[in-house]
Amino acid sequence: RPGRARAAVATASAANAFTGVEIPGTGGLVDLRASDSEPHVLLLALAAPTSVAQLRTSVERDRTLPLDECLARVVNHLGGGDDDFSVGSMRLSLQCTLSHARVTTPARATGCRHLECFDLESYLQCQRVARVPKWKCPTCSAAARPSELVVDS
């Protein structure tokens, strides 16, 4: 029945289904047992942890915005962008909101509407050591998973 699950202990050797895959501590065998004759579906996802250095390299390599896009974003944010003369000023801190150190790799989420950036390395380190990573922008709480991060030139 939808929305209800029965506890099942499954029986089947899944070693042949995962040829070439080694599951540490199991000797390559997975033992599944079902206490009933109904069909069951098993999904096993093997994942390897990604280091902060790997994530940082990936974001910097694949999602660094060109300088002209960054400048256009600042101009649009200040109300310029058309041919009219516009004067505006804004004060931005070069200090990371997480580490309180100077930002070395300015990053933000694609969903952020603000200009402030946080340091990419500090952000990834904070998520790595967090008991439950939140993956949200420290400035506006927009979703900021690694795939949603961009680096400003």
Side-chain angles (χ1 to χ4, degrees):
R1 289 182 290 204
R4 304 195 88 182
R6 273 189 287 172
V9 194
T11 296
S13 177
N16 294 334
F18 300 106
T19 305
V21 176
E22 186 175 322
I23 302 170
T26 65
L29 295 177
V30 177
D31 187 28
L32 306 169
R33 297 175 197 195
S35 59
D36 56 16
S37 60
E38 293 183 28
H40 296 278
V41 175
L42 169 71
L43 171 66
L44 178 63
L46 299 176
T50 305
S51 72
V52 169
Q54 289 171 318
L55 283 174
R56 185 188 69 241
T57 301
S58 171
V59 172
E60 288 175 337
R61 181 188 63 235
D62 301 335
R63 291 183 294 282
T64 295
L65 297 179
L67 182 59
D68 56 340
E69 281 186 43
C70 296
L71 291 175
R73 181 176 165 82
V74 171
V75 169
N76 286 336
H77 196 339
L78 291 174
D82 54 12
D83 292 335
D84 294 338
F85 184 77
S86 175
V87 177
S89 68
M90 177 178 283
R91 187 175 204 157
L92 293 174
S93 175
L94 297 177
Q95 189 177 42
C96 176
T97 56
L98 296 168
S99 66
H100 300 291
R102 186 178 172 126
V103 172
T104 56
T105 307
R108 58 184 168 72
T110 53
C112 294
R113 301 285 174 237
H114 52 81
L115 294 177
E116 295 83 9
C117 291
F118 48 85
D119 185 62
L120 179 62
E121 176 85 17
S122 298
Y123 177 73
L124 294 174
Q125 285 287 357
C126 286
Q127 297 307 313
R128 182 73 169 186
V129 299
R131 193 173 196 193
V132 179
K134 298 213 186 306
W135 297 112
K136 293 188 182 269
C137 171
T139 304
C140 69
S141 298
R145 291 172 192 85
S147 62
E148 298 165 311
L149 295 175
V150 292
V151 172
D152 286 348
S153 294

